[in-house]
Amino acid sequence: ETGVTQSPTHLIKTRGQQVTLRCSSQSGHNTVSWYQQALGQGPQFIFQYYREEENGRGNFPPRFSGLQFPNYSSELNVNALELDDSALYLCASSRVGAETQYFGPGTRLLVL
Amino acid sequence: AQTVTQSQPEMSVQEAETVTLSCTYDTSESNYYLFWYKQPPSRQMILVIRQEAYKQQNATENRFSVNFQKAAKSFSLKISDSQLGDTAMYFCAFAPNTNAGKSTFGDGTTLTVKP
């Protein structure tokens, strides 16, 4: 059974640029959630995708957007990057209605 | 909106001893899940233990157990026989019923186990 994977591992961008982060769900999982974890803080829920539709969103602006594909993998896109977007971005997958989510190793984004 | 508070930014414990990490939460919901996650320095978030709010019995997983006080909205984690590998950041999290993927996390407690 393959776990949750994320790419890339690390990324450096400049303020104003756009970035795409990728996540592959654990086998059998049809729901993907994205979290932002700033240094020294807990993860914050960005949004969740189920059946290729957004299924709930946290307190993040529209420049944070996502996609889910038929194979349940997902992308997180961030436009007009700001310095405060520097963080660890975590992807987690689960089955719909599940009591447990499984996290990937994360993508460390640095915005200069 | 739900909030999760961990009031102990850092804690340390001697190997083989017991330590308790505190967590309080606020919600108006009656059905929900509570979790403790471990994030070692390698950063992969791992589920330690889960508690369903409708269950009165406290969850236990080997050396890890919780003290769930629903009326007080308190959810502490007890680690018995601490091991060096328990050194990590521990996060308390809340999720609405049937959707662990919409969790609200606390800011974590850094636990150091000393030899």
Side-chain angles (χ1 to χ4, degrees):
Chain A
E1 185 178 86
T2 307
V4 180
T5 60
Q6 293 186 242
S7 62
T9 304
H10 295 84
L11 203 53
I12 300 175
K13 289 288 187 178
T14 304
R15 191 173 51 183
Q17 285 188 314
Q18 178 266 342
V19 68
T20 297
L21 311 182
R22 294 177 175 83
C23 171
S24 291
S25 304
Q26 183 165 314
S27 177
H29 289 181
N30 53 15
T31 300
V32 174
S33 300
W34 286 92
Y35 295 85
Q36 180 195 66
Q37 186 178 13
L39 196 62
Q41 296 182 17
Q44 282 193 287
F45 173 69
I46 302 174
F47 45 53
Q48 181 182 73
Y49 275 81
Y50 170 60
R51 289 185 174 177
E52 303 177 46
E53 297 283 336
E54 188 178 287
N55 179 40
R57 187 180 187 93
N59 188 26
F60 282 82
R63 59 188 186 85
F64 285 79
S65 63
L67 285 172
Q68 186 183 30
F69 300 99
N71 66 354
Y72 306 125
S73 65
S74 177
E75 288 182 355
L76 164 65
N77 299 289
V78 187
N79 293 322
L81 283 167
E82 301 176 359
L83 297 180
D84 285 348
D85 296 333
S86 295
L88 179 67
Y89 288 85
L90 297 170
C91 164
S93 74
S94 59
R95 288 176 288 106
V96 65
E99 305 161 336
T100 304
Q101 59 182 340
Y102 296 86
F103 284 87
T107 294
R108 175 75 66 188
L109 172 65
L110 178 61
V111 182
L112 301 176
Chain B
Q2 294 83 23
T3 59
V4 177
T5 302
Q6 295 179 247
S7 59
Q8 305 154 312
E10 295 183 7
M11 294 193 71
S12 64
V13 63
Q14 293 295 132
E15 197 175 5
E17 293 192 344
T18 296
V19 64
T20 299
L21 308 183
S22 301
C23 172
T24 58
Y25 61 95
D26 190 24
T27 183
S28 58
E29 301 191 26
S30 57
N31 294 319
Y32 49 87
Y33 301 124
L34 294 165
F35 308 88
W36 280 98
Y37 287 93
K38 170 184 177 181
Q39 189 176 42
S42 65
R43 80 186 182 202
Q44 185 103 28
M45 191 81 75
I46 304 166
L47 176 67
V48 174
I49 198 166
R50 179 185 68 234
Q51 175 78 43
E52 290 87 346
Y54 66 86
K55 291 186 178 179
Q56 293 190 349
Q57 186 173 5
N58 289 323
T60 299
E61 289 286 344
N62 300 313
R63 299 182 295 108
F64 299 89
S65 61
V66 299
N67 184 3
F68 173 47
Q69 301 290 327
K70 190 173 184 179
K73 294 181 180 173
S74 169
F75 183 61
S76 61
L77 174 70
K78 185 172 81 172
I79 305 174
S80 304
D81 186 26
S82 296
Q83 301 176 0
L84 296 178
D86 295 334
T87 293
M89 181 83 93
Y90 286 81
F91 292 99
C92 177
F94 169 103
N97 195 26
T98 72
N99 201 330
K102 292 183 177 179
S103 290
T104 299
F105 285 77
D107 279 338
T109 296
T110 301
L111 176 66
T112 302
V113 180
K114 298 179 179 179

